Amino acid sequence: QQQVKQSPQSLIVQKGGIPIINCAYENTAFDYFPWYQQFPGKGPALLIAIRPDVSEKKEGRFTISFNKSAKQFSLHIMDSQPGDSATYFCAASTGTDKLIFGTGTRLQVFP
Amino acid sequence: ETGVTQTPRHLVMGMTNKKSLKCEQHLGHNAMYWYKQSAKKPLELMFVYNFKEQTENNSVPSRFSPECPNSSHLFLHLHTLQPEDSALYLCASSPSPREKLFFGSGTQLSVL
């Protein structure tokens, strides 16, 4: 019940495409859903986060869609660029300090 | 955005060695964390410190021993590790637990 299931494991798109990464969870107590971006040789960095009181949040070309009833949330990258090539992790947490991460999605954007 | 520095960047050690990983944060945060990152697995939380006090030990084997002398420094002492302990060890900090995590670049550990 503490897991966050992330898919796909890897994703290849062309420049300008809209990659979509999906995550699903079981624990209805989760109330914070961040996405982290990790470039090779670097640690993860917070990209965007959402709380369950909204169904969508946009920051630049990055959008989180949240479906509370389905217990799913997804990351969309509009007009993807080669510089977006990275590994993306979804995560979830409750009122405790433990953030549960997904397994990661390696995104490659080709010119 | 950095502000969390980890040393060394790479470490190769034998199973009988003793080594330490160091993490320093210059962000004025009160919470610090150790995570383990293995290929195709979720990031695994190992330890959490808040105001220098350990608040979480996620069932980590005793061959990993953390130390937090102050809110800016965090160490992970390693002793008699196993090859399956080879991974990227990430340090992170946050203003307080549950707030945005700031990660270092990690130490890539190889146990031979």
Side-chain angles (χ1 to χ4, degrees), chain B residues 1 3 16 19 33 55 57 59-60 63-64 69 76-77 79 89 94 100 105 107:
Chain B
E1 188 171 9
T16 58
K19 296 286 184 183
Y33 312 74
T55 58
N57 177 336
S59 302
V60 180
R63 57 186 184 270
F64 294 91
L76 188 62
H77 303 298
H79 177 51
Y89 288 84
S94 64
K100 174 182 174 181
S105 295
T107 294

Side-chain angles (χ1 to χ4, degrees), chain A residues 11-47:
Chain A
L11 194 51
I12 300 174
V13 300
Q14 282 203 310
K15 177 182 175 182
I18 306 175
I20 300 172
I21 304 170
N22 300 299
C23 286
Y25 63 97
E26 289 296 324
N27 188 349
T28 55
F30 286 148
D31 64 353
Y32 175 63
F33 302 89
W35 285 87
Y36 280 79
Q37 179 188 54
Q38 184 177 26
F39 293 106
K42 300 290 186 182
L46 180 66
L47 186 62

Side-chain angles (χ1 to χ4, degrees), chain B residues 5-43:
Chain B
T5 305
Q6 288 187 245
T7 55
R9 290 297 306 275
H10 302 273
L11 179 62
V12 179
M13 59 187 289
M15 292 167 60
T16 58
N17 291 157
K18 288 184 181 181
K19 296 286 184 183
S20 296
L21 310 185
K22 180 182 176 182
C23 176
E24 183 174 2
Q25 58 98 358
H26 308 276
L27 301 169
H29 292 166
N30 297 313
M32 296 189 77
Y33 312 74
W34 280 115
Y35 279 87
K36 176 182 179 182
Q37 185 174 25
S38 304
K40 299 182 181 179
K41 287 187 177 180
L43 274 75

